Structure formats: C-alpha cells, structure tokens
C-alpha cells in the first residue's frame, strides 16, 4: 500500500492475529507504528487524518460510528457487515478488502481533495448522530417487546 501513497505513516491499533497481514500489505516497516491495545480509541482520532477499516468481516463495526462521530474520515472495507451502513462518497470511501492499491488510491483522494474530505466528515458526523447507540437499543427493545405480544 505504501508504494501508492507517499509520506504516509500507519498507526496500527490492537493486537489481533492478523497484524502481520497488514504489515505485509503496507510493505514498509519504517512507516508502521504499533500502538497495541488502546483503552480509549477516541484519543487516537485526534492523531490521525483518516481511519482505515480493512476488515474482511466485522461483526460489530462500532469503530466506524466512533470515527464518524469524531469527524475522522473513514476508508471502510466492502465487507458484508459494513456495506449495510456505509454510503460510498457520502459517509466514507469504500475500499476493496485485500486490495492495497485501492486503499492507496483512496488515501490519495482524501489527501488531495479537501472538499471531498470535508463532505465525508460532515455527512459521517450527521450519520453517526442520527444512529446513536442508545436510539438503536431502544428500537431493538421495542421490536422484542412487540414480538412477545
């Protein structure tokens, strides 16, 4: 991925089993900084220009909502669980899972197009605000209550 975007530093949060796959895709150890597990991910958003979610599958895409709520632009994988909430060129830029060239091209778009970046940040913030967890939980509770009648 690094070969497609100059002057990029990758901050990798978490310590999952597939970290080495990200390292291989990036291909440049000097531009990788391992942060390990982070208790409060919101602190990370102030340090980054963009969040990349390269998942092939994500059962709980809470990080997507957290990033949008902090007005951090997102590159989100086109995996099934994320496709349900992403809106390409509206609240994020979608990327092909396992395609470092696509990630690089989308990073360049965000870097080079301030208007697009601002639009994604604002639309993403509005999306996160209208999809708050508490409202979602109330809808689920109401649904289950209706099923018991």
């Amino acid at each position: 991925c690094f070969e497609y975007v100059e002057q990029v530093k990758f901050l990798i949060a978490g310590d999952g089993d597939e970290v080495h796959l990200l390292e291989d895709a990036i291909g440049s150890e000097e531009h990788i900084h391992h942060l390990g597990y982070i208790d409060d991910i919101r602190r990370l958003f102030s340090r980054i220009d963009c969040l990349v979610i390269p998942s092939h599958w994500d059962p709980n895409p809470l990080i997507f909502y957290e990033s949008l709520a902090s007005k951090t632009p997102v590159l989100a994988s086109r995996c099934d669980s994320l496709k349900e909430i992403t809106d390409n060129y509206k609240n994020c830029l979608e990327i092909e899972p396992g395609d470092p060239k696509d990630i690089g091209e989308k990073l360049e778009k965000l870097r080079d197009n301030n208007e697009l970046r601002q639009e994604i940040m604002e639309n993403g913030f509005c999306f996160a605000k209208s999809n708050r967890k508490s409202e979602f939980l109330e809808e689920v509770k109401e649904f289950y209550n209706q099923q018991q009648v």
Side-chain angles (χ1 to χ4, degrees), residues 105-141:
E105 289 170 353
K106 299 294 174 46
L107 285 170
E108 285 180 336
K109 279 187 188 205
L110 281 180
R111 181 193 65 199
D112 297 341
N113 189 333
N114 189 50
E115 186 176 321
L116 174 64
R117 186 173 55 257
Q118 292 300 320
E119 184 177 330
I120 287 173
M121 288 166 57
E122 290 304 319
N123 289 338
F125 179 76
C126 290
F127 177 82
K129 190 175 175 183
S130 67
N131 289 282
R132 289 193 298 235
K133 190 176 183 181
S134 59
E135 292 173 6
F136 172 74
L137 292 175
E138 284 301 316
E139 289 175 18
V140 169
K141 183 178 174 183

Side-chain angles (χ1 to χ4, degrees), residues 79-94:
C79 65
D80 288 340
S81 59
L82 287 170
K83 282 195 301 190
E84 297 175 12
I85 56 176
T86 60
D87 191 352
N88 199 24
Y89 286 89
K90 297 289 183 194
N91 65 5
C92 70
L93 290 182
E94 294 177 356

Side-chain angles (χ1 to χ4, degrees), residues 11 33 35 38 42-49:
L11 304 178
H33 301 278
L35 304 177
I38 298 177
R42 293 171 295 180
R43 290 188 338 206
L44 177 64
F45 296 134
S46 66
R47 295 179 57 195
I48 62 175
D49 297 317

